């Protein structure tokens, strides 16, 4: 588009002042005008920016204190060592405190189920050990379950840590890493899971990240994985989330600030309650995570890893088998689904016992 005549004239005048000899009085007037306009522009810019800035500083303060990932905003591309040391989601920054399980060491399972769980949540672990954790041989395939914990974050830490160690002496199914276990650190936890699988279980076929409050129908899961057409590589499936908006409401548990994740939407991802992947993806996720700025929504972060790899999650053969919530317990429905979010560890034991009783469920 052509400049307006006014602008052309002004430009011409400025050119003249610059290119021709000027009397000193005109030169200092020009300098004064220039200075004045710079000041005016700065003031107007600042006043527009000020509200935003003070709002920004105030509102982000509490977050800075509580959200460790937020505390260190990182450049997007920075794949060198000093970057890695500061990259909070990069799992090799953490060390295992407990890791003496036999899983993947004395055997090669078909499927490994990894349950991220808080150190204090013994009840959830015990419920799983009594229910879907017992399903170790399904349709001739070996299935193993391990729990992944961070460090206790609150209360009597020493005592909790002793309990965790004793529990592991009994079951040898706890893997504990040295990051502090908190809701904000779930992305770290997921990436530690990926790293553990990549290094300890490279020969298994599939793995699943499944939350500790889940009902899991292992039989149906294995049937699905063995059904024709299920990829053996670059495969991620679960309950697919499309075009989900990023939550900008500060009071929300899922709040993510713009400077952590600027896009208004997440890429397609699988809901964190339970997603399955072929084992080749684990080392790929660890590798690609070096170049993805971390944010505290672990399932969407895995979605970002997939996107960066040029991949996307696959819809399961029967999408309605991956349920988040069902209405009431119904034995017939539970016999057909794969996942469902429960209200308590007791519910898991109750529903499981009922589902497994003799007699056709439908
Ligand atoms: C934090 O900073 C961003 C960037 O300006 C802003 O959009 C957001 O509203 C601020 N506050 C909080 C809690 O995010
Ligand atoms: C790695 O990143 C740091 C921090 O940004 C930078 O100072 C350094 O020069 C980089 N080193 C290499 C080898 O690229
Ligand atoms: C924490 O637990 C340890 C070990 O059981 C115990 O010795 C200590 O008194 C406890 N501390 C508190 C504050 O409860
Ligand atoms: C994890 O979260 C807690 C509390 O939210 C925080 O204090 C801690 O520094 C976090 N990060 C790591 C790496 O443990």
């Amino acid at each position: 588009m052509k400049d307006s005549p006014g602008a052309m004239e002004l430009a011409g005048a400025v050119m003249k002042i610059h290119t021709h000899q000027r009397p000193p009085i005109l030169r200092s007037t020009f300098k004064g005008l220039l200075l004045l306009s710079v000041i005016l522009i700065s003031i107007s810019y600042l006043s527009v920016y000020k509200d935003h800035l003070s709002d920004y500083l105030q509102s982000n303060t509490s977050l800075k204190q509580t959200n460790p990932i937020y505390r260190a905003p990182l450049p997007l591309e920075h794949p060198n060592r000093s970057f890695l040391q500061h990259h909070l989601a990069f799992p090799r920054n953490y060390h295992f405190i407990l890791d003496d399980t036999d899983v993947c060491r004395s055997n090669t399972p078909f499927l490994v189920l990894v349950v991220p769980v808080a150190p204090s949540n013994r009840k959830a672990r015990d419920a799983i050990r009594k229910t879907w954790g017992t399903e170790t041989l399904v349709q001739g395939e070996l299935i193993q379950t391990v729990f992944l914990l961070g460090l206790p974050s609150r209360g009597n830490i020493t005592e909790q840590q002793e309990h965790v160690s004793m529990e592991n002496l009994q079951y040898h199914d706890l893997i504990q890493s040295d990051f502090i276990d908190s809701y904000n650190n779930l992305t770290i936890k997921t990436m530690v899971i990926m790293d553990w699988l990549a290094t300890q279980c490279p020969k298994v076929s599939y793995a699943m990240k499944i939350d500790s409050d889940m009902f899991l129908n292992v039989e149906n899961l294995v049937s699905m994985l063995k059904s024709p057409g299920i990829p053996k590589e670059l495969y991620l499936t679960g309950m697919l989330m499309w075009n989900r908006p990023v939550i900008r409401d500060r009071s929300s548990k899922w709040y993510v600030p713009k400077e952590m994740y600027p896009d208004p939407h997440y890429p397609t991802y699988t809901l964190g309650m339970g997603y399955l992947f072929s084992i080749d993806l684990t080392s790929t996720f660890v590798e690609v995570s070096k170049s993805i700025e971390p944010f505290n929504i672990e399932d969407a972060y895995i979605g970002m890893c997939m996107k960066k790899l040029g991949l996307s999650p696959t819809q399961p053969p029967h999408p309605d088998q991956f349920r988040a919530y069902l209405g009431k317990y119904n034995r017939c429905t539970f016999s057909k689904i794969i996942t469902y979010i429960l209200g308590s560890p007791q519910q898991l034991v109750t529903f499981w016992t009922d589902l497994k009783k003799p007699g056709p469920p439908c």
Side-chain angles (χ1 to χ4, degrees), residues 85-100:
Q85 279 156 11
H86 296 96
H87 193 309
L88 277 145
F90 188 66
R92 289 181 193 151
N93 286 332
Y94 305 97
H95 305 96
F96 292 107
I97 295 169
L98 296 178
D99 184 15
D100 68 350

Side-chain angles (χ1 to χ4, degrees), residues 165-290:
S165 302
M166 275 156 63
E167 183 183 336
N168 189 56
L169 277 180
Q170 191 178 351
Y171 297 102
H172 298 286
D173 60 0
L174 303 184
I175 298 159
Q176 189 181 29
S177 178
D178 68 352
F179 63 90
I180 293 170
D181 203 301
S182 68
Y183 195 80
N184 282 327
N185 294 349
L186 285 184
T187 301
I188 299 175
K189 211 174 198 176
T190 290
M191 294 315 294
V192 167
I193 289 175
M194 296 301 170
D195 187 35
W196 187 83
L197 286 167
T199 53
Q200 304 303 324
C201 301
K203 295 203 172 106
V204 312
S205 301
Y206 299 97
M208 182 177 199
K209 179 251 163 189
I210 175 150
D211 285 345
S212 61
D213 58 351
M214 296 298 295
F215 174 89
L216 179 68
N217 191 318
V218 188
E219 190 77 42
N220 292 349
L221 175 59
V222 173
S223 299
M224 184 200 94
L225 289 173
K226 295 181 79 171
S227 65
I230 296 296
K232 294 188 165 33
E233 285 169 352
L234 306 178
Y235 183 59
L236 170 68
T237 196
M239 184 190 253
L240 264 56
M241 299 281 118
W242 288 282
N243 208 31
R244 281 300 159 125
V246 179
I247 312 283
R248 305 292 190 197
D249 170 7
R250 287 166 207 165
S251 57
S252 167
K253 173 176 164 183
W254 298 288
Y255 169 66
V256 175
K258 270 193 189 135
E259 61 277 83
M260 227 194 223
Y261 188 92
D263 289 359
H265 291 94
Y266 290 123
T268 307
Y269 66 93
T270 46
L271 194 64
M273 61 173 190
Y275 50 84
L276 271 146
F277 37 92
S278 53
I279 203 69
D280 59 329
L281 280 180
T282 56
S283 56
T284 317
F285 288 152
V286 172
E287 208 41 46
V288 80
S289 79
K290 290 175 190 171

Side-chain angles (χ1 to χ4, degrees), residues 15-257:
M15 283 278 284
K16 266 178 214 152
I17 291 168
H18 271 292
T19 49
H20 296 282
Q21 274 291 353
R22 286 148 294 185
I25 179 81
L26 187 59
R27 215 184 299 165
S28 60
T29 308
F30 175 69
K31 274 188 188 164
L33 279 173
L34 201 67
L35 191 65
L36 191 67
S37 56
V38 166
I39 290 169
L40 283 175
I41 290 169
S42 307
I43 287 172
S44 62
Y45 179 73
L46 274 179
S47 65
V48 169
Y49 195 66
K50 200 187 67 193
D51 295 340
H52 182 66
L53 192 71
S54 68
D55 182 46
Y56 164 83
L57 289 174
Q58 278 169 15
S59 57
N60 284 307
T61 309
S62 61
L63 193 75
K64 274 181 186 142
Q65 284 158 358
T66 56
N67 196 329
I69 286 178
Y70 178 72
R71 228 184 275 161
L74 294 160
L76 278 170
E77 297 285 348
H78 234 279
N80 80 19
R81 272 214 63 79
S82 92
F83 167 69
L84 290 187
Q85 279 156 11
H86 296 96
H87 193 309
L88 277 145
F90 188 66
R92 289 181 193 151
N93 286 332
Y94 305 97
H95 305 96
F96 292 107
I97 295 169
L98 296 178
D99 184 15
D100 68 350
T101 179
D102 272 351
V103 171
C104 294
R105 292 180 180 133
S106 63
N107 49 41
T108 302
F110 169 69
L111 169 67
V112 179
L113 307 170
V114 189
V115 187
V117 59
S120 58
N121 204 350
R122 171 81 191 250
K123 284 199 174 99
R125 291 190 290 274
D126 282 345
I128 291 167
R129 287 182 184 119
K130 281 187 217 154
T131 57
W132 45 265
T134 62
E135 306 251 292
T136 52
L137 200 64
V138 176
Q139 300 171 31
E141 304 289 356
L142 186 63
I143 323 290
Q144 304 246 266
T145 303
V146 290
F147 299 95
L148 200 127
L149 294 63
L151 293 173
S153 59
R154 274 192 299 263
N156 194 334
I157 290 170
T158 320
E159 192 176 345
Q160 285 178 57
Q161 190 53 39
E162 273 170 22
H163 287 164
V164 164
S165 302
M166 275 156 63
E167 183 183 336
N168 189 56
L169 277 180
Q170 191 178 351
Y171 297 102
H172 298 286
D173 60 0
L174 303 184
I175 298 159
Q176 189 181 29
S177 178
D178 68 352
F179 63 90
I180 293 170
D181 203 301
S182 68
Y183 195 80
N184 282 327
N185 294 349
L186 285 184
T187 301
I188 299 175
K189 211 174 198 176
T190 290
M191 294 315 294
V192 167
I193 289 175
M194 296 301 170
D195 187 35
W196 187 83
L197 286 167
T199 53
Q200 304 303 324
C201 301
K203 295 203 172 106
V204 312
S205 301
Y206 299 97
M208 182 177 199
K209 179 251 163 189
I210 175 150
D211 285 345
S212 61
D213 58 351
M214 296 298 295
F215 174 89
L216 179 68
N217 191 318
V218 188
E219 190 77 42
N220 292 349
L221 175 59
V222 173
S223 299
M224 184 200 94
L225 289 173
K226 295 181 79 171
S227 65
I230 296 296
K232 294 188 165 33
E233 285 169 352
L234 306 178
Y235 183 59
L236 170 68
T237 196
M239 184 190 253
L240 264 56
M241 299 281 118
W242 288 282
N243 208 31
R244 281 300 159 125
V246 179
I247 312 283
R248 305 292 190 197
D249 170 7
R250 287 166 207 165
S251 57
S252 167
K253 173 176 164 183
W254 298 288
Y255 169 66
V256 175

